Amino acid sequence: MAMFRWWVSWALALVIAAGSTALVVKSAAFPDRSWADLAGTAAARIHRAAAAGWSTASASRPPDRNPERPFPGDSVQAPPTTYTLRAAFEPDTHRIRGEETVEWNQPLPNPVHFYLYPQGAGGIHIRGVRRDGQSLSFHTQGEQLTVDAPGEGPRRLTIDFVTDIPTASSRYGDLDGVWVLSYWYPILAARDGRGWIAPPEGKGFGEPYVVDTANYRVTWTAPAGMTWYASAPATSDAPGPDGRTTLTMEGQHLRHFALVGSARYQNTTLDLPGGPRVHLGLLDPGHQSRIEATATRAVNTYRARFGKLPYSDVALVETPSGSTFAQELPNLALIDVDLWNGLMPEQDADHWTAHELAHLWWYNAVGDYEGLTPWLDEGLADFSAYLYQESRYGPTAYDEAMNRLATWFKEGRSYSPGDPGSPLPSAALGATDRPYADFDTEWQYYVLEYLRPVLMYRDLRRSMGDDRFFRWLRTLYEQHLGRVVTAAQWRESLKAAAPDQTERADLWLDAPNEDLVRRLDDAGDLRFGRPGP
Ligand SMILES: [Zn+2]
C-alpha cells in the first residue's frame, strides 16, 4: 500500500512587507572592528571568488562602506523565483534523475550562476541546459554551475541533471534506509549589490548555505511503500503500474525543497488548534509521547510569541542512529533517534527538538543567508528554545538556564552540543556578526553564533521589558515573512523598535569576545563605558 502522505494543500496568505532599504552604519563602539583581521581571511578567498566570477560577499563587509551601496548579502533578487522539478528517485542506483525549469522575473546578468551544493561522495551532474528548446553552453566548477545565456531571452532555463546520493551520516544521503535529500537540484544563485554571492565552503559543521526563497512545484516518482516528508504538502498521489508512485507537491515561499523518506517510518499527526499540522515520522514509536509533548508546547509558545506560521503542514522526523545530530530543513525538523534514546547523555533531546522546531519561524518563515549571518537564525532559534523551556517548566527554569549559560560564557566554556560546559582552548574568539567562512572550529561557531546571541536576547529582553521586546520580535517576524532578513535589516528593525538598545546590541554583535566578557557583571548584565580589567 502506498504510504505517501496526502497533505492538504493550503492557500498561503503571506503578507510580504517591503524590505527596509535603509542601511545601518557599523557599530559606533567598534568602528574599526577587525576589518584588518577579516581582510586576511577575505584575501585567502579572493582568488577563488575572482577565478569563479563570484562576488566576494561571503568574505565580510567591505572597508569602503558606502551608504549608497547595499551591503554584501543584501539581496537584490526580485521574488518570486519559481522551480518546476520533475524527478525520479532511484534508490537501487543511489541516484535522482531530474529535470528542472527555473523561472525568474527580472533580467539576470550573463552568465547565470547556480549552486550545486552536494559535493564529495554525492554530486549533481549536469546533462544539459536549454532555453526554449535551444541548448546553451555551461560550465561546472566545484559547487558552481555557470550557464551562458546571452541576450534578452525568456527568463527561464531548463536543466537536466543526475544527482548521486551517498550513503552517509551527513545532511544529505541514505543511512539505514532513511533518505535525507536536501539541496539535490541546481539552485539559482543569490545576488547582492556586487553580483552573484559565492557560498562559503563547508567545513563539516553548521550551514554554509546561501539560498533565496522560491515557489516550487515538484513531481516526485519513487518506489511505493515509502513515507515521504517534504517541504510542501502533496496535492496528488498516483500509483503507477510499475510499483512506483508519483507524488505532486506545491509550496510557496520555500527556503528550498527537501525530502526525507523511508519505508521505516511510523507516521502520526499532531493537529494543533491554531496550526500548523505537525506530521511526526517516528523510527522508535516509544518516543511518541515525549516528542508530542515537546512539539505541542514549543509550537504553541512560538506561535504566541512571534506569530502564525504561513504553512499548513510541517514535519518533525527522526533520523537513524549515528546521523547528523539535529538539523533544520524547510518545513522539516530532523532529530537523531539517539537523542531521545538517551544514548547521547550530554545532549538534551528536549532542548534541541524545541530548537529545530523554532527554525520553522527563524530560517524557514523568516529566512536569512545562513552562510553570511549564521548568528541570525541560530541565535533566534536557540533563544526561542529557552522561551519554550520557560513556558513549559516555569520562569525559574529559564533563569537557571540563562545563569548557567552566562557563567559558561564568562568562564570560556563550550556550548557545542557534544561537550557543553567543557573549557575552551582560547578566549580570543572575535565577534558574532561575521560570515560562516570566518570560522575554523565548531566550538568557536557555537559560542559566537549560538551562545552569545542567546545571551544578547536575554539582555535585550531585560533591558527593554517583555512588552517592548516581544513586540519587536513580532514586528521583525511580520516584516520579513517569506523573505530573507539581513544583518542590516535586523539592526534597522531593532533601531526602529528601540533606538536606545542599538549600542547594547552592537556590543553583543561586534565586540571582541574578551572585551564583551569583561563587560558582563556577575548577573550577566552588560556594563557600558570602558570595560573592566
Ligand atoms: Zn539551529
Side-chain angles (χ1 to χ4, degrees), residues 207 328 352 355-356 359 377-378 381 450:
E207 281 96 8
E328 72 278 19
W352 288 102
H355 172 108
E356 300 307 336
H359 274 304
D377 63 291
E378 294 302 353
Y450 290 64

